[in-house]
Amino acid sequence: MTTADAARAGEEFLRDMHNRAPEAMSRYVTAHPMADGRTSYQFLAERVAGAQRVLDLGCGDGSLLAVLARGGATGLAGVDVAAGELAVAWARPELADADLHEARAQDLPFADDSFDAVVCHMALMLMADVERVVAETARVLRPGGTLAVAVGRRAAEGSGLELFLKLARPLFAQRPVPPLGDRRTRSRDGLNELLATAGFAPITWEEITLGGSGTPEEVWQTAVEKYYDTMTLAAAEIAALRREFLEHARALTAGESITRGERLAVATTRLLASR
Ligand SMILES: C[S@@+](CC[C@H](N)C(=O)[O-])C[C@H]1O[C@@H](n2cnc3c(N)ncnc32)[C@H](O)[C@@H]1O
């Protein structure tokens, strides 16, 4: 398979998953806030506070844009490849004036210097040809504008999500999902290097933990909702995995709660004035 074929397969998979289960991501994010009650949407929106013209890359059902609208931003825009997610965004009253497109972040349908800020919540890390996404972002952002990106991190050590992955990995390997994204987007150094080539200043990197703890059954639910891979498993496989997870989790916690261990990193930077 060529790189272009792999990229197409990855994007097709994501489009299909998000068209089949629109709003799944925003339900997950809303159900798993930080310890202080803020969601990762709110945390990211705070990084671009005061910006009026804001673009969301991979905007999904428009939940982050809705947070920005409630915060007073008026020139909102978003792109996503999944029409099912966009249908939800288009129907939101607070996004009635937003400029939302079914489009790829690699080919943004906006003029140069159109935005004061660009945000991207848990989507850049899934995108193919990320150099092109970053170059397009730099093109549509005004010099001095802010970019704030949230990416997934490895589950915390000893957490419920780490346990789940350990048990699920052999099953996931039998029916692999297409390779998604570029590993560089998930690390501070990798992202810094990528963004520097497009004229961005060194990033600020903040790590946040979401979801607190829950009973083994609650953390099982979190894990099943989190990974695309579980959507490819048969009901009997999920049932067997659940039994195994609950047995291990209960043994580990003696029936008490277990931390979920969901971790995100938020990178914030500015487009340098001279490119
Ligand atoms: C994990 S979801 C996050 C959605 C939203 N940002 C949120 O956090 O609620 C990833 C989103 O990126 C979109 N996506 C993936 N590749 C894309 C691309 N190349 N251009 C635009 N959107 C893309 C998917 O359709 C999906 O809605």
Side-chain angles (χ1 to χ4, degrees), residues 23-94:
E23 300 183 83
M25 180 66 187
S26 65
R27 268 198 306 273
Y28 181 88
V29 172
T30 310
H32 298 99
M34 297 164 62
D36 63 11
R38 281 179 297 171
T39 65
S40 48
Y41 293 138
Q42 287 167 320
F43 189 87
L44 195 57
E46 286 164 14
R47 266 71 211 144
V48 298
Q52 280 303 317
R53 300 174 304 162
V54 187
L55 167 66
D56 186 0
L57 302 175
C59 64
D61 69 5
S63 291
L64 172 56
L65 288 170
V67 171
L68 290 162
R70 290 195 287 273
T74 49
L76 293 171
V79 293
D80 202 286
V81 293
E85 296 277 15
L86 284 166
V88 180
W90 274 314
R92 287 180 189 273
E94 61 272 63

Side-chain angles (χ1 to χ4, degrees), residues 11 14 18 25-26 41 58-60 79-82 85 103-106 121-123 126-127 228:
E11 199 167 302
L14 287 173
H18 283 273
M25 180 66 187
S26 65
Y41 293 138
C59 64
V79 293
D80 202 286
V81 293
E85 296 277 15
R104 303 177 69 231
Q106 291 86 344
H121 184 272
M122 301 292 278
L126 303 172
M127 292 177 188
Y228 289 119

Side-chain angles (χ1 to χ4, degrees), residues 209-263:
T209 303
L210 305 174
S213 51
T215 64
E217 186 65 61
E218 287 166 345
V219 178
W220 158 259
Q221 204 49 45
T222 295
V224 167
E225 286 166 14
K226 175 179 166 65
Y227 298 101
Y228 289 119
D229 311 60
T230 52
M231 287 174 83
T232 68
L233 299 181
E237 289 171 319
I238 299 229
L241 186 56
R242 176 174 172 275
R243 276 194 300 277
E244 203 185 355
F245 175 82
L246 292 179
E247 197 178 294
H248 280 77
R250 284 179 186 136
L252 266 179
T253 62
E256 298 297 318
S257 66
I258 180 169
T259 57
R260 289 185 170 79
E262 173 71 281
R263 296 192 313 150

Side-chain angles (χ1 to χ4, degrees), residues 147-181:
L147 170 65
V149 178
V151 295
R153 299 283 288 156
R154 187 190 294 269
E157 242 174 81
S159 68
L161 288 178
E162 187 195 49
L163 170 66
F164 173 85
L165 262 191
K166 197 171 129 215
L167 301 172
R169 224 173 245 128
L171 206 53
F172 288 170
Q174 286 171 27
R175 236 161 300 141
V177 304
L180 298 173

Side-chain angles (χ1 to χ4, degrees), residues 107-152:
D107 294 295
L108 293 173
F110 306 106
D112 296 1
D113 298 356
S114 293
F115 299 102
D116 303 314
V118 174
V119 290
C120 184
H121 184 272
M122 301 292 278
L124 185 71
M125 65 202 203
L126 303 172
M127 292 177 188
D129 199 357
V130 72
E131 283 96 348
R132 189 154 160 184
V133 176
V134 168
E136 277 289 86
T137 302
R139 181 183 67 74
V140 301
L141 195 54
R142 68 160 168 79
T146 304
L147 170 65
V149 178
V151 295

